[in-house]
Amino acid sequence: MPEQSPFDLAEGDPFGPHTLPYGVFSTADAPERRRLGVRYGSHVLDLSALSGAVLTPHAELLAAPTLNPLLAAGRTAWQEVRATVRGALTDPAHRPAVAPLLHPLDDVTLHLPFEVADYVDFYASEHHATNVGRIFRPDGEALTPNWKHLPIGYHGRSGTVVVTGTPVVRPNGQRKAPADPAPSFGPSARLDIEAEVGFVVGAPSALHEPVGLDAFRDHVFGVCLVNDWSARDIQAWEYVPLGPFLGKSFATSVSAWITPLDALDEARTPPPARDFPLLPYLDDADTEPGGLDLRIEVTVNGETVSRPPFSAMYWTAAQQLAHMTVNGASLRTGDLFASGTVSGPEPDQLGCLLELTQGKGPYLQDGDEVTLTAWAPGPDGARIGLGEVTGRVLPAPAPGADAAGPAGSAGRRTPAPEAT
């Protein structure tokens, strides 16, 4: 039986000519040489060599070992490169020259596709925020007074953003249950997931110049899946009054593939109806639909535990970007901002174990493997795939005797903080 051509994709393949996500890879014969690639079916097209086979604009950007130069080049360059790549893969005349540049996915190593500048995490799902509020404030208001007026967020740690497949080591830290006389130190017993969607900034902005809703496409290059791992017990003790810190900063996993915004035009959808009038800089009533119809699936050890719909998110990515810069904060190439946990209205649409178990657990055990996948509707019934995010939990390192302080049980139940 003849070997199938890499150009002949299986029907319904979510990584066809309408998707074309970007990544960084290396091969066994040159493990230190990192190259830009585009995923096509079960293969990776070597962009660094494409200019030798097809006349390619911006060849110098494609020769870089990271996406950052292409990100910084701006929307016109993004569109020109995408059009060239699509032509190279779909025009039969290019097949003899392009075929040697396609590497089977199983034969390459994937790397973090861009150098992360700053990382911001939002809290944009009304369903998630409401569920969490009801867990911690059963006799009070589920949402805080500001929630419907602005996208709540916080600054994370960019240095611990890791690519899919990177093991996640259970963090050590301080924990204190309400009845404990003093905090203890040890491994988190409430390690959780957060199914999120991330947005990668390409073109930077100037300091003191806010980025309006209508400039979103000029600055944001593409989308990736994010698992923002959370140690609920560590976070519960530390987060008052300043919010997430060590309980969140130990690992944030992202996909190896960045899907261009232009691939998601068919997935655009209006956000949920607003309950309160928005201030002008957030008012998107007269802009293009800012929501995205992304269908996420969360599995733990191969078993599906949730299917969160991104279309249910109250705050859009454009609103998050506008709010993030309205005070004059600038954007840098490689900035990553994430949506916060994606949850829908149904019990099987919740994006974290905190919600799925009503705060009671069980949470992640050592050896557990979590995978996020997603797809979106594309043109002519096609599916647009987002690269998966997988992480396996490894045991915490033994804490040093001088750091441990009073002995405590890693299995002790402690209240979890509000999640993002």
Side-chain angles (χ1 to χ4, degrees), residues 12-19 263-264 295 297 374-386:
D13 192 311
F15 294 99
H18 299 297
T19 306
L264 297 171
R295 326 285 179 87
E297 183 171 356
W375 64 274
D380 303 321
R383 287 191 175 193
I384 305 299
L386 275 71

Side-chain angles (χ1 to χ4, degrees), residues 162-255:
V162 297
V163 71
T164 177
T166 303
V168 175
V169 177
R170 184 181 299 275
N172 286 307
Q174 290 193 30
R175 302 120 348 133
K176 183 185 180 299
D180 291 346
S184 61
F185 184 91
S188 169
R190 292 190 160 209
L191 184 59
D192 200 355
I193 63 171
E194 290 190 347
E196 305 192 17
V197 174
F199 296 83
V200 180
V201 171
S205 67
L207 189 64
H208 311 309
E209 294 183 7
V211 176
L213 296 173
D214 58 352
F216 176 75
R217 284 179 176 264
D218 294 327
H219 291 276
V220 174
F221 174 80
V223 176
C224 63
L225 289 180
V226 174
N227 186 350
D228 198 25
W229 307 82
S230 296
R232 302 296 187 194
D233 42 2
I234 294 173
Q235 189 179 356
W237 172 233
E238 72 177 3
Y239 88 113
V240 178
L242 295 183
F245 190 44
L246 301 183
K248 302 280 290 183
S249 64
F250 59 95
T252 299
S253 297
V254 299
S255 169

Side-chain angles (χ1 to χ4, degrees), residues 353-365:
L353 298 178
L354 173 68
E355 290 176 89
L356 287 166
T357 68
Q358 288 292 297
K360 300 173 183 178
Y363 291 89
L364 295 175
Q365 303 299 309

Side-chain angles (χ1 to χ4, degrees), residues 29-388:
D29 61 332
E32 301 303 318
R33 182 188 168 209
R34 299 192 177 188
R35 292 171 262 178
L36 297 192
V38 161
R39 181 169 177 177
Y40 190 66
S42 60
H43 288 72
V44 182
L45 174 64
D46 184 350
L47 293 184
S48 67
L50 186 62
S51 59
V54 177
L55 184 60
T56 307
H58 313 291
E60 72 284 358
L61 304 178
L62 305 186
T66 177
L67 277 172
N68 288 60
L70 177 60
L71 299 180
R75 190 178 180 194
T76 298
W78 306 339
Q79 292 175 325
E80 291 174 351
V81 170
R82 180 171 168 80
T84 300
V85 171
R86 177 179 287 174
L89 289 167
T90 58
D91 186 343
H94 292 314
R95 287 192 172 189
V98 174
L101 310 183
L102 287 163
H103 300 266
L105 268 174
D106 292 342
D107 294 347
V108 306
T109 299
L110 299 175
H111 304 278
L112 189 66
F114 63 102
E115 296 175 1
V116 183
D118 289 315
Y119 170 50
V120 174
D121 195 27
F122 282 93
Y123 192 39
S125 166
E126 180 180 2
H127 298 292
H128 171 67
T130 300
N131 292 336
V132 170
R134 287 172 178 163
I135 292 172
F136 297 115
R137 294 183 297 275
D139 299 321
E141 292 293 328
L143 296 179
T144 53
N146 60 349
W147 202 94
K148 290 289 183 78
H149 296 277
L150 57 87
I152 296 172
Y154 74 95
H155 292 279
R157 179 171 294 222
S158 60
T160 49
V161 175
V162 297
V163 71
T164 177
T166 303
V168 175
V169 177
R170 184 181 299 275
N172 286 307
Q174 290 193 30
R175 302 120 348 133
K176 183 185 180 299
D180 291 346
S184 61
F185 184 91
S188 169
R190 292 190 160 209
L191 184 59
D192 200 355
I193 63 171
E194 290 190 347
E196 305 192 17
V197 174
F199 296 83
V200 180
V201 171
S205 67
L207 189 64
H208 311 309
E209 294 183 7
V211 176
L213 296 173
D214 58 352
F216 176 75
R217 284 179 176 264
D218 294 327
H219 291 276
V220 174
F221 174 80
V223 176
C224 63
L225 289 180
V226 174
N227 186 350
D228 198 25
W229 307 82
S230 296
R232 302 296 187 194
D233 42 2
I234 294 173
Q235 189 179 356
W237 172 233
E238 72 177 3
Y239 88 113
V240 178
L242 295 183
F245 190 44
L246 301 183
K248 302 280 290 183
S249 64
F250 59 95
T252 299
S253 297
V254 299
S255 169
W257 301 106
I258 310 301
T259 303
L261 275 183
D262 286 343
L264 297 171
D265 284 344
E266 298 292 327
R268 290 196 166 269
T269 186
R274 312 303 186 185
D275 296 326
F276 296 92
L278 297 177
L279 291 172
Y281 78 98
L282 293 172
D283 187 355
D284 58 356
D286 296 325
T287 66
E288 67 174 343
L292 289 174
D293 183 11
L294 308 180
R295 326 285 179 87
I296 304 170
E297 183 171 356
V298 182
T299 66
V300 179
N301 300 327
E303 178 183 353
T304 299
V305 298
S306 182
R307 291 186 172 91
F310 193 70
S311 58
M313 300 296 277
Y314 189 88
W315 295 105
T316 70
Q319 289 172 320
Q320 292 165 39
L321 188 71
H323 185 66
M324 193 166 71
T325 60
V326 73
N327 67 343
S330 58
L331 298 174
R332 294 195 291 168
T333 296
D335 281 353
L336 171 68
F337 65 98
S339 62
T341 304
V342 181
S343 291
E346 302 301 326
D348 62 348
Q349 296 179 335
L350 308 178
C352 66
L353 298 178
L354 173 68
E355 290 176 89
L356 287 166
T357 68
Q358 288 292 297
K360 300 173 183 178
Y363 291 89
L364 295 175
Q365 303 299 309
D366 293 345
D368 284 350
E369 184 173 82
V370 180
T371 297
L372 311 183
T373 56
W375 64 274
D380 303 321
R383 287 191 175 193
I384 305 299
L386 275 71
E388 71 174 30

